[in-house]
Amino acid sequence: MSAPIVLGIDLGTSNSVGAVMQGDRIIIVPDAEGNRIHPSVVSFHPSGNVICGHKAKARRIVDPENTVFSTKRLIGRRFSSPEVRAVRARAPYVIKEGPSEQPMIATRGGEFTVPQVGAIVLNYLKQLAEVHLGQPVAHAVVTVPANFNDGQREATKAAGRLAGLEVLRILNEPTAAALAYGYGKSLQSRIAIFDFGGGTFDITILRLQQRIFEVLATAGDTYLGGDDIDLRLVDAMIQAFLTVHGIDLRQAPLAVQRLRAVAEQVKCQLSDRARAMVRVQEIAHGQGGAALDFSFSLTRDGMNAKVVDIVDRAFVVCDEALRLAGTDVSQIDDMVLVGGTTKMPLVRDRVRQYFGKEPRADINPDEVVAVGAAIQGATLMQDVGAGERPKALLLDVTPRALGVATVGGYADTIIQRNAQVPIEQNRIFTTSADHQTQVVIQVCQGESRRFDENTALGELKLEGLRAARRGEVRIVVTFEIDTDGILRVKAKDEETGNTQGATIHVLGTMTEAEIQAAMPQDAGGRAPGQE
Amino acid sequence: MAAPTTHQAAEEVRALVEELFAGLDHLPYYAFLGITPGATPGHIQEAFYRRAEKLHPDRFFNLSDLELRNQIYEVYKRVAEAYRVLESPAARKEYDEGLARGQFRLIRQEREGLNLKQPDEGIESPQAKRFFRLGLDALHAKDLKGAHMNFTFALSMEPGNAVIKAQVADLEAKLGLKKRPG
Ligand SMILES: Nc1ncnc2c1ncn2[C@@H]1O[C@H](COP(=O)(O)OP(=O)(O)OP(=O)(O)O)[C@@H](O)[C@H]1O
Ligand SMILES: [Mg+2]
C-alpha cells in the first residue's frame, strides 16, 4: 500500500502552482489547456459560476468589480490595517469590514472572507490534480512567505480546510525551494534563496548538511514585488499620455486597470528582448468624443533606469539576512532564484554583482516552491521506520519576534526572531490588583520595542484566577511556536499546578465557529474553473 | 515484517525518548544532546544534527502512538533549546554558571515590573492616567505630535513618573526635539 498523495501548493499572490511526488517523479499539475502555473484569480460570472486561473485572469479587464486577485495581500490582516487600506485604494473590487475585524470581499456572487477566496483557488488546484491524476486528493502542504505572521498562517490553514484539504504543514516558500534544490543530493553547503515574486520579496540563508536543511536566517519585505514594477511603468504611461493628449487617465479606473495589464506585458517582454512596443486601443475619449489609442514603446535600459531603485531595495533585506545568519556573501556557495521577477535581466545582474557569483540557472523559478512542498508532503507521509534515516529534514525558523505588551505601551520579547521551531518559552505573569481574577495579555509579532509598531496578534485571557492580594497569584504561561510557525499558548498556576484556561483570540482571522459555518455543505457541488 | 535491525533501532529510539522525557525536570542540556560538558562548538552542532535526525517530530508524523509522539515532541523541543543555548558562547557561559548552582535549564529571571498588564500601570493620578491613555491613542493613530503633547500633560500631572518620562523622552528623540539646555 502506498502512502496517500500529498498535493504541494504554492499559493502565490499572482500565481499558484500545484505539484505531487509519485515515487521519485515530480508532476506539476496542469489545467485543461496544459498551463502549469495558474493565476490566483477568482471571477464571479453573471451565470453564477465561479471561475479560476487563466480564464479568471482574462476577466479582470471585462468584469473588474467581480474579479478578485492579489488577496494574499489581505490574508490574516485586520480591516483597519495599512495593508488592507492600501489594497482597497487600488482594487477594483469592493472590500468591506466583516466580523472579527476581517476584510470581506463583496461580489455579485456574495460576500466572502479572504480565506474563503483562498479556498476557492486551493480547491481549483485540488480539482485540477484530481482530474490529472485520476484519483482523489485530500492532503496538502501549502507554502507561505517566510515572514508571514501567525494570523496569516492561521488564515492560510483555514483556507485549506475550507477547500476540503487536510493541510499537513504550512511551509515557508524559501525553505520549500531549498528542499527542491538540495533534495537527494547530499550537499554540504551554504545557500541563499532569493525569492522575488509578485507581491513580496524574501531572502533565506540555509546550511545544508546532507539530509539536513537548517535555516540560519530569513528576512523579507512584504511590500516589494513585481507589482511595484508594474505600477511604476503605469505611472510612466499615464505621464506619457498626459503629455501627448492632456488627459489624466487616473480619473478612469478602468483605463488604469488595462494599463496595469499592459505594463506587466511590457515588463515581461523586456526580459527577452531589448525593446517593447504596445498599442492600447480606445483607452480614452478626446474632444468631441473621438476614441484615442495609446502607443507606448520602451527599451530595456529605459525600464531598468525607472525601476532600479525598486530592485535595489531587495539588497537592503539581503544585508539584514546575512547579518542575522552571522555570515557574509563570500561564504554563500550557491544562490537559488525563485519567483517571476527574477526573470528580469536587471534582477539577475544585480544578484550577480551583490553575491559576486553566477546564480543557479537550472532551476525553474515558477515551479520550485511547489516542488519543494510536494517533496515535504511525501517526506512527512513516508513511513520512516525509526531505524531509517529521513530523506530530508527541515529545521526552520520563526521570522518574527513574539512579544507581549508591558507597562508604558512597550513590548517585551518572549521568543526571538529567527529562533528555530518548534520552540517554547515560559513567562511568569502575576496579578496587578487585589482580588483580580482575570489577566489579559496582549500578544504581538515584530521587533519594535513599541507594542504599537508591531503587529498585534490578539489577546490572551487567563480566567478564574484565585482571588488574592496583588502579585500573589503567579501564572506560568508557555508560548510555543509549532512546526507550522503557528502560536500555541498554555498556562499553569504555579502554586496549584492547575492548568489554566488560556484562549487567544486572533484578530483579522476567522474563528473556529466561522470556519465551521463556512465549510461547504455540498462539497464538490460547484466546480470552479467551468464557465 | 520489519527487519530485526529496524526493530532494534525503533526500540533504541523509544528507550532514548523515555529516558529523556523522564529527565525533562532534572537532566542538563548536555544530556539532551548526548555530549559531555567539555564538548567543543563543532561537537555541539554535530550532536544536535544527529539528535534531530533521530528525534525530530516530522519523522513521527504518522506515528499512531499519540503518547509517544507527544513525548518525542516535548523531548525534541528541549534538545533544540539545548542547542540554541549551548551554541552561543555567551549563553553557554551563563548556563554553565547556573548549572553549577543546580539549575539544569536556562530560564532568564523576570525583569521587575514587566509583567504588569495595564499600560498605565504605575501611574497614580487619574488625570495623568487619562492624558497618558490619550497619548497612547494618539500614538496608535501615528499622531506623534499629539502623543507628545498628551504625555507632556500627563507628566505635568505626575512629575517624575518614570513610565511617563520614558514615553516623553522616546517621542522627543523621534520628533527630533531636544530639550534646550537650562
Ligand atoms: N518573464 C518575466 N519577466 C519579468 N517579470 C515576470 C516575468 N514573468 C513573471 N513575472 C512577474 O513575476 C511576478 C509573479 O511572480 P510569482 O508568480 O513568482 O509571484 P507569486 O508567487 O504569485 O507572488 P508572491 O510570491 O509574492 O506571493 C509578477 O509580478 C510577474 O509580472
Ligand atoms: Mg511566490
Side-chain angles (χ1 to χ4, degrees):
Chain A
M1 197 196 76
S2 62
I5 286 182
V6 184
L7 180 60
I9 301 177
D10 173 4
L11 181 62
T13 312
S14 348
N15 299 297
S16 294
V17 181
V20 293
M21 189 165 176
Q22 282 195 320
D24 277 341
R25 217 161 59 96
I26 294 282
I27 299 165
I28 304 284
V29 175
D31 66 7
E33 281 72 44
N35 296 301
R36 291 154 73 88
I37 75 173
H38 315 285
S40 312
V41 183
V42 177
S43 187
F44 298 89
H45 197 265
S47 70
N49 285 337
V50 184
I51 305 165
C52 261
H54 283 277
K55 287 200 181 115
K57 189 172 181 181
R59 294 193 59 80
R60 271 179 67 171
I61 292 171
V62 294
D63 192 12
E65 292 94 345
N66 296 291
T67 304
V68 181
F69 59 93
S70 287
T71 54
K72 193 171 168 180
R73 290 188 183 240
L74 301 172
I75 202 158
R77 302 265 188 208
R78 292 154 82 163
F79 181 76
S80 58
S81 68
E83 294 83 0
V84 173
R85 235 178 294 141
V87 176
R88 283 179 65 208
R90 290 204 184 262
Y93 52 86
V94 175
I95 305 170
K96 299 184 179 171
E97 178 160 8
S100 300
E101 297 188 39
Q102 292 177 87
M104 295 284 278
I105 294 160
T107 69
R108 72 155 68 86
E111 290 187 7
F112 299 91
T113 63
V114 181
Q116 282 174 322
V117 176
I120 296 173
V121 177
L122 292 173
N123 189 258
Y124 175 64
L125 289 164
K126 169 172 143 73
Q127 292 190 33
L128 291 181
E130 288 175 340
V131 168
H132 186 71
L133 300 168
Q135 57 178 299
V137 174
H139 301 91
V141 169
V142 182
T143 62
V144 295
N147 59 9
F148 254 28
N149 66 34
D150 179 79
Q152 293 170 299
R153 285 165 199 267
E154 291 271 17
T156 305
K157 218 172 175 179
R161 289 179 55 199
L162 292 173
L165 288 163
E166 187 189 334
V167 180
L168 303 180
R169 173 65 41 88
I170 294 290
L171 182 61
N172 290 329
E173 290 163 8
T175 314
L179 187 55
Y181 157 85
Y183 182 74
K185 289 195 190 134
S186 205
L187 298 169
Q188 190 145 4
S189 58
R190 240 167 233 241
I191 64 168
I193 308 286
F194 186 96
D195 182 355
F196 213 154
T200 51
F201 171 74
D202 282 299
I203 170 92
T204 298
I205 315 290
L206 294 101
R207 175 159 59 205
L208 271 50
Q209 186 134 316
Q210 275 125 33
R211 294 160 302 270
I212 294 189
F213 294 70
E214 184 182 18
V215 176
L216 298 178
T218 187
D221 185 340
T222 21
Y223 295 99
L224 179 59
D227 291 356
D228 300 297
I229 293 173
D230 301 348
L231 291 173
R232 185 66 65 79
L233 296 186
V234 168
D235 287 343
M237 290 178 182
I238 289 173
Q239 197 54 49
F241 198 79
L242 187 64
T243 313
V244 176
H245 298 284
I247 296 173
D248 185 0
L249 292 176
R250 278 197 200 286
Q251 308 309 319
L254 195 60
V256 174
Q257 204 48 44
R258 286 175 68 193
L259 287 183
R260 270 192 80 151
V262 172
E264 187 181 3
Q265 256 173 34
V266 168
K267 174 186 73 175
C268 293
Q269 281 176 13
L270 289 175
S271 290
D272 299 322
R273 43 183 124 120
R275 169 182 285 278
M277 235 152 50
V278 284
R279 189 175 179 83
V280 190
Q281 277 170 357
E282 299 185 21
I283 189 86
H285 293 275
Q287 272 170 348
L292 294 175
D293 292 352
F294 174 48
S295 307
F296 187 74
S297 128
L298 191 63
T299 62
R300 185 187 287 168
D301 290 343
M303 175 179 72
N304 289 355
K306 286 189 204 309
V307 304
V308 67
D309 62 306
I310 297 175
V311 170
D312 280 350
R313 276 167 51 200
F315 297 99
V316 180
V317 185
C318 291
D319 287 344
E320 187 189 355
L322 288 165
R323 183 177 55 75
L324 288 167
T327 184
D328 62 70
V329 285
S330 69
Q331 293 184 46
I332 302 296
D333 301 307
D334 230 344
M335 289 94 66
V336 179
L337 301 184
V338 183
T341 302
T342 63
K343 288 187 239 175
M344 288 179 71
L346 174 66
V347 172
R348 291 184 174 246
D349 287 346
R350 301 303 262 187
V351 168
R352 193 180 303 113
Q353 282 165 20
Y354 182 86
F355 287 95
K357 55 174 81 79
E358 210 47 56
R360 296 292 292 215
D362 57 346
I363 286 167
N364 181 327
D366 292 326
E367 296 172 358
V368 64
V369 170
V371 170
I375 295 174
Q376 173 71 344
T379 312
L380 288 177
M381 277 310 200
Q382 169 194 52
D383 216 351
V384 210
E388 275 172 64
R389 286 191 148 154
K391 287 197 181 154
L393 189 61
L394 299 182
L395 305 174
D396 215 331
V397 302
T398 177
R400 300 257 80 97
L402 183 84
V404 294
T406 173
V407 171
Y410 290 97
D412 192 13
T413 300
I414 292 189
I415 294 178
Q416 296 291 336
R417 167 182 198 193
N418 272 307
Q420 211 173 83
V421 294
I423 183 173
E424 67 165 52
Q425 254 354 213
N426 297 319
R427 210 19 86 97
I428 297 164
F429 290 89
T430 56
T431 48
S432 52
D434 290 345
H435 306 299
Q436 181 181 355
T437 56
Q438 176 175 321
V439 177
V440 178
I441 302 161
Q442 289 177 302
V443 185
C444 68
Q445 266 181 325
E447 288 71 48
S448 174
R449 272 188 64 226
R450 281 206 163 282
F451 190 87
D452 272 326
E453 289 172 358
N454 295 314
T455 308
L457 286 181
E459 287 187 343
L460 173 67
K461 223 184 226 175
L462 305 176
E463 284 168 308
L465 306 183
R466 176 171 65 89
R469 299 278 310 270
R470 70 181 273 174
E472 267 183 20
V473 179
R474 288 159 61 86
I475 309 290
V476 184
V477 180
T478 305
F479 295 85
E480 177 179 324
I481 295 179
D482 69 13
T483 34
D484 286 328
I486 289 176
L487 174 67
R488 293 202 254 170
V489 187
K490 284 180 290 195
K492 210 165 89 178
D493 190 319
E494 218 190 17
E495 176 191 17
T496 62
N498 286 345
T499 304
Q500 193 60 56
T503 49
I504 181 148
H505 179 54
V506 179
L507 297 168
T509 53
M510 299 171 86
T511 61
E512 185 57 30
E514 284 162 359
I515 294 175
Q516 289 302 337
M519 290 286 259
Q521 253 65 55
D522 57 334
R526 270 195 316 192
Q530 262 95 69
E531 248 173 280
Chain B
M1 54 151 265
T5 48
T6 309
H7 180 73
Q8 237 170 29
E11 282 313 306
E12 213 182 285
V13 166
R14 186 184 283 273
L16 178 64
V17 169
E18 271 165 14
E19 180 199 329
L20 293 177
F21 187 77
L24 280 173
D25 286 335
H26 62 264
L27 286 179
Y29 288 154
Y30 296 102
F32 281 89
L33 291 178
I35 52 178
T36 60
T40 65
H43 275 140
I44 289 170
Q45 193 195 316
E46 213 178 285
F48 171 64
Y49 280 1
R50 257 202 321 270
R51 281 283 204 250
E53 279 200 321
K54 235 182 215 155
L55 299 178
H56 194 284
D58 279 2
R59 297 200 54 197
F60 305 94
F61 203 79
N62 281 318
L63 191 71
S64 47
D65 183 343
L66 287 184
E67 196 191 327
L68 180 61
R69 218 164 89 183
N70 178 51
Q71 290 185 357
I72 290 169
Y73 189 63
E74 295 301 320
V75 166
Y76 179 77
K77 274 188 300 185
R78 186 65 60 80
V79 167
E81 180 177 315
Y83 173 51
R84 189 170 67 242
V85 170
L86 298 182
E87 187 195 34
S88 144
R92 184 177 180 183
K93 185 164 173 281
E94 192 181 339
Y95 174 71
D96 284 341
E97 284 164 11
L99 188 61
R101 292 191 305 270
Q103 272 165 9
F104 62 95
R105 205 177 165 192
L106 181 67
I107 300 199
R108 298 245 156 71
Q109 280 306 307
E110 298 310 309
R111 276 168 286 167
E112 207 50 51
L114 282 179
N115 299 320
L116 308 171
K117 152 67 186 78
Q118 299 301 327
D120 56 6
E121 209 38 82
I123 302 172
E124 297 297 324
S125 125
Q127 288 97 323
K129 261 190 202 237
R130 199 162 69 84
F131 282 111
F132 190 80
R133 290 238 169 224
L134 287 173
L136 289 178
D137 288 347
L139 261 185
H140 196 75
K142 309 265 183 275
D143 171 13
L144 298 187
K145 285 207 180 121
H148 180 252
M149 193 179 76
N150 281 302
F151 288 138
T152 312
F153 279 146
L155 191 60
S156 70
M157 309 280 164
E158 198 170 316
N161 182 298
V163 172
I164 311 176
K165 256 176 148 170
Q167 288 286 2
V168 173
D170 215 52
L171 279 162
E172 278 174 354
K174 264 206 183 115
L175 291 167
L177 304 173
K178 270 211 204 98
K179 274 198 207 128
R180 249 168 274 138

